[in-house]
């Protein structure tokens, strides 16, 4: 399913005049294992604390093996609990986006037994597996389709990490197969909930790794919006420090980078995950990093929304998480607001009083990553790459750059549609 096949209702010409602000919901009790002992009262208390920050939406994560433990069994009770969560969110003024295929969360993989070991099948190409995934996503979307606070489906959380290295046991695919998988499953979401805001989301290998099967073109052209996930532990903070320009502008950089591959000049971009990871961003600096990151991201046009990772800290009673995962919440495990949470609440209040859009970015830096569709040389966009470092230098010098494919650098109509008046090559940036 190409974007042109989607209903007009899910393809706004521009992002909303006031960006959406939300959090990725991490339950304070039991983390995502809470689906095993679903406690609606505990969920309501969590949602009260999220709504108390002034946020307007959450992104929620059903665990795929718990919702579809057998290829032909989608548990009605689990689906019912997801709907209960969405209804509880609505009572608190929170809209809901649902990530269907979990997939991968905070270093842990959650794949159904019917795709692993004795039943090992490629989750992207096996016909039976893909049909079962489509049925699952269609079921979740259909269950929520009539809820006014249901935003739409995201196919899964960074499920592209299963397609290649550094995953220890990848399901290898080609870029063509990745595109087919995305279109098939987005079509299933649309069948379940017509006209909703359905999209997919990858971790930054799609933008930075030369041989990765999921490509920038797929991210920026398939689905209702482009989702970017900004994590500065990817080499950015290590190279530029916690207060470096590239670090504080990394989310804004990904937003602008994504526009190079978009076919629509004002395609919405959703900053769907961004957080302050320790120790690269120490706890005492998290609030300052949060303010800089969000403010810089909102200096970009076409931002649909910002969804912070995450709502609540992970309990120290749970073992084996990477250390950084325990302290990423806007709220503590007992629902107390942290400094980053207070910062987000203040920014939300300030931004909702302003309805003007950011000024266009009139200077563009050319991206030459090889073929536009496959980007075999996209490592130029990664930390340390020529394009990446040139973009950071321009930003540090006070410019507000955006990105344009080298193949479009002489396309006057395209440049005019994006208000670009100056085009530079990376080797021209000193």
């Amino acid at each position: 399913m190409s974007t042109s096949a989607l209903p007009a209702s899910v393809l706004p010409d521009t992002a909303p005049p006031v960006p959406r602000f939300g959090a990725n919901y991490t339950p304070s009790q039991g983390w995502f294992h809470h689906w095993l002992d679903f406690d609606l009262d505990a969920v309501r208390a969590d949602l009260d604390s999220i709504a108390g920050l002034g946020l307007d939406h959450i992104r929620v994560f059903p665990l795929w093996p718990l919702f579809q433990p057998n290829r032909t069994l989608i548990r009605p009770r689990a689906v019912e609990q997801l709907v209960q969560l969405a209804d509880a969110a609505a009572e608190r003024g929170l809209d809901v986006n649902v990530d269907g295929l979990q997939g991968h969360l905070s270093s842990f993989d959650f794949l159904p037994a019917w795709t692993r070991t004795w039943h090992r099948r490629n989750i992207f190409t096996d016909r039976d597996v893909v049909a079962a995934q489509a049925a699952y996503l269609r079921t979740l979307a259909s269950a929520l389709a009539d809820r006014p606070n249901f935003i739409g489906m995201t196919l899964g959380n960074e499920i592209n990490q299963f397609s290649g290295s550094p995953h220890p046991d990848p399901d290898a695919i080609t870029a063509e197969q990745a595109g087919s998988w995305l279109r098939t499953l987005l079509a299933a979401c649309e069948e379940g909930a017509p006209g909703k805001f359905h999209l997919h989301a990858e971790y930054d290998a799609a933008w930075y790794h030369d041989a990765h099967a999921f490509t920038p073109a797929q991210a920026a052209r398939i689905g209702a919006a482009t989702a970017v996930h900004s994590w500065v532990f990817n080499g950015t903070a290590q190279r530029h420090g916690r207060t470096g320009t590239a670090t504080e502008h990394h989310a804004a950089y990904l937003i602008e980078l994504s526009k190079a591959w978009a076919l629509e000049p004002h395609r919405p971009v959703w900053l769907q995950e961004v957080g302050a990871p320790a120790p690269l961003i120490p706890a005492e600096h998290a609030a300052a990093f949060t303010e800089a990151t969000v403010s810089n991201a909102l200096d970009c046009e076409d931002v649909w929304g910002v969804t912070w990772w995450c709502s609540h800290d992970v309990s120290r009673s749970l073992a084996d998480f990477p250390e950084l995962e325990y302290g990423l919440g806007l709220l503590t495990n007992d629902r107390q607001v942290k400094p980053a949470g207070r910062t987000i609440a203040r920014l939300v209040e300030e931004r909702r009083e302003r309805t003007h859009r950011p000024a266009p970015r009139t200077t563009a830096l050319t991206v030459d990553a090889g073929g536009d569709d496959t980007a075999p040389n996209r490592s130029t966009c990664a930390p340390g790459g020529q394009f990446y470092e040139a973009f950071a230098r321009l930003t540090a010098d006070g410019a507000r750059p955006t990105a344009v494919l080298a193949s479009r650098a002489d396309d006057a109509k395209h440049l005019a549609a994006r208000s670009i008046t100056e085009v530079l090559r990376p080797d021209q940036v000193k």
Side-chain angles (χ1 to χ4, degrees), residues 28 30-31 278 283 312-328 332-334 338:
S28 65
W31 192 63
H312 298 80
D313 286 346
V314 176
S315 171
R316 289 281 177 179
S317 67
L318 297 175
D320 300 327
F321 285 83
E323 181 61 26
L324 70 91
E325 297 286 350
Y326 288 101
L328 289 170
T332 64
N333 187 241
D334 58 357
K338 296 167 61 177

Side-chain angles (χ1 to χ4, degrees), residues 128-345:
D128 289 339
V129 172
V130 175
Q133 292 169 338
Y136 170 59
L137 293 171
R138 189 183 304 112
T139 297
L140 296 189
S142 178
L144 293 165
D146 64 346
R147 265 49 182 190
N149 71 320
F150 175 47
I151 296 170
M153 298 293 298
T154 301
L155 296 189
N157 183 54
E158 300 184 354
I159 200 165
N160 63 309
Q161 62 96 29
F162 289 106
S163 69
S165 63
H167 194 278
D169 184 24
D171 288 358
I173 54 170
T174 66
E176 182 179 10
Q177 289 169 329
S180 176
W181 182 81
L182 290 170
R183 291 182 176 90
T184 296
L185 295 191
L186 283 169
C189 295
E190 179 64 18
E191 290 165 7
K196 295 293 186 177
F197 200 69
H198 304 305
L199 69 158
H200 62 102
E202 287 77 47
Y203 88 102
D204 61 19
W207 307 101
Y208 292 165
H209 293 187
D210 289 338
H212 195 67
F214 289 79
T215 69
Q218 293 164 358
R221 299 174 187 174
I222 301 174
T226 302
V228 295
H229 291 190
S230 174
W231 290 103
V232 297
F233 54 60
N234 64 356
T236 296
Q238 293 92 328
R239 185 179 183 89
H240 291 274
R242 64 179 173 84
T243 59
T245 298
T247 303
E248 293 187 340
H249 287 259
H250 184 258
Y253 167 73
L254 280 174
I255 291 167
E256 294 302 324
L257 177 65
S258 78
K259 297 176 183 180
W261 278 273
L263 299 180
E264 302 91 4
H266 292 287
R267 176 176 167 87
V269 184
W270 182 357
L271 179 55
Q272 196 183 49
E273 274 189 30
V274 60
L280 293 166
I281 308 298
E284 62 272 17
H285 187 70
F289 173 82
T290 301
E291 176 150 16
T293 294
V294 173
S295 297
N296 291 330
L298 296 181
D299 189 41
C300 301
E301 288 189 286
D302 310 311
V303 174
W304 181 88
V306 176
T307 311
W308 199 260
W309 188 281
C310 52
S311 64
H312 298 80
D313 286 346
V314 176
S315 171
R316 289 281 177 179
S317 67
L318 297 175
D320 300 327
F321 285 83
E323 181 61 26
L324 70 91
E325 297 286 350
Y326 288 101
L328 289 170
L330 296 173
L331 301 118
T332 64
N333 187 241
D334 58 357
R335 307 189 183 101
Q336 300 302 304
V337 182
K338 296 167 61 177
R342 289 193 290 273
T343 297
I344 286 286

Side-chain angles (χ1 to χ4, degrees), residues 21-22 48-57 93-94 341 344-345 348-349 352:
F21 293 93
D48 283 337
S49 63
I50 294 170
L53 299 176
L55 302 179
D56 60 50
H57 70 275
L94 295 168
I344 286 286
V348 169
E349 184 177 7
R352 288 199 173 131

Side-chain angles (χ1 to χ4, degrees), residues 382-407:
Q386 184 185 36
F387 177 87
Y388 177 99
E389 299 300 333
F391 195 102
R393 289 195 296 273
L394 273 176
T395 303
D397 288 341
R400 298 173 61 250
T402 188
V404 63
L405 292 179
S407 61

Side-chain angles (χ1 to χ4, degrees), residues 27-45:
S28 65
Q29 296 184 19
W31 192 63
F32 297 107
H33 306 299
H34 84 134
W35 296 110
L36 289 165
D37 300 292
F38 188 73
D39 182 340
L40 189 55
D41 288 337
V43 168
R44 287 170 174 151

